[in-house]
Amino acid sequence: EIEGGDSNTSRTSQVPTTNTKVKMAEPTKTFPKKEAALAAGSSEKVVAKAFKEGGKKGVEIEGAADTSGLTCFCTRMQSSDGDIKLLEAAMEGMNAVPDPEEPEERKGCSGHIAKLIISENEKAGKIAMVAYVPEDMKDKLNAIEWMKAVCETELGGGVGGAPDDSSTDVWATCTAVEDKENFFFLKMKDNTLSAAIAYLREKGLFQDDESDDEGDNAAADFEW
């Protein structure tokens, strides 16, 4: 099974190129997705946990991008519990630009990487997904189309759901719900990540050992 990049935390120290990009960008001051999760009824502690996980994962992705050249990333998040508002807050944490004057450890920093993140709630039989595409990648990847490809996949029995009406070309959301007739939670869970990566392969945005290109490919060694 393809998993997130938790094992690559140590790589985040090797990011000289990306650090320059962060210094050029203005630090993120407002967090509307985080505020929306609070307004939806989640506690400050729960929202902070989801946002923090996103921030830590963002730095890992930044490091992986610098060492492997990847431009897109898909992973599961553990702290959002299948809640789309919490997952959006996690994505916001991933993309946040830190203030270089703050003494805290760096978090976020991956706003230049396209991402599709997933959170499951087995008890409720639902899977939340958020897709994000940087503005300068819009000509290569569309967040709504990426999300639709996951929802409509035929892999292993499919996933189900559809992009929410509020979705845009750069930010798409969906909550797929088990119906026990057409879509079963465990199969949906297995299929989401594989379908998201399969779409990237079709678009030529994911190089791995299945690629035809010759030569070493550092991205193929990154554990997703």
Side-chain angles (χ1 to χ4, degrees), residues 4-15 52-67 73 75 105-108 221-224:
D6 290 336
S7 64
N8 290 271
T9 305
S10 60
R11 296 190 185 186
T12 58
S13 60
Q14 306 169 8
V15 286
K52 183 177 181 180
E53 182 189 15
K56 288 185 174 181
K57 185 74 74 175
V59 170
E60 294 176 9
I61 296 169
E62 178 202 37
D66 187 71
T67 57
F73 192 88
T75 193
E105 63 178 311
R106 291 176 69 249
K107 298 184 181 71
D221 297 324
F222 182 66
E223 184 179 355
W224 286 42

Side-chain angles (χ1 to χ4, degrees), residues 2 155 194 197-202 204 206-215 217 219-221:
I2 302 173
L155 287 173
S194 297
I197 293 173
Y199 183 73
L200 295 179
R201 286 197 181 107
E202 291 176 7
F206 181 84
Q207 269 196 336
D208 57 8
D209 292 333
E210 295 182 12
S211 300
D212 294 328
D213 294 343
E214 296 181 359
N217 175 27
D221 297 324

Side-chain angles (χ1 to χ4, degrees), residues 2 4 17 29 58 60 66 72 87 104 125 131 146 156 168 172-173 179 187 200 203 217:
I2 302 173
T17 302
K29 299 293 186 182
E60 294 176 9
D66 187 71
C72 305
L87 195 60
E104 293 186 19
W146 194 5
T168 69
T173 58
D179 65 12
K187 289 186 176 182
L200 295 179
K203 300 285 287 184
N217 175 27

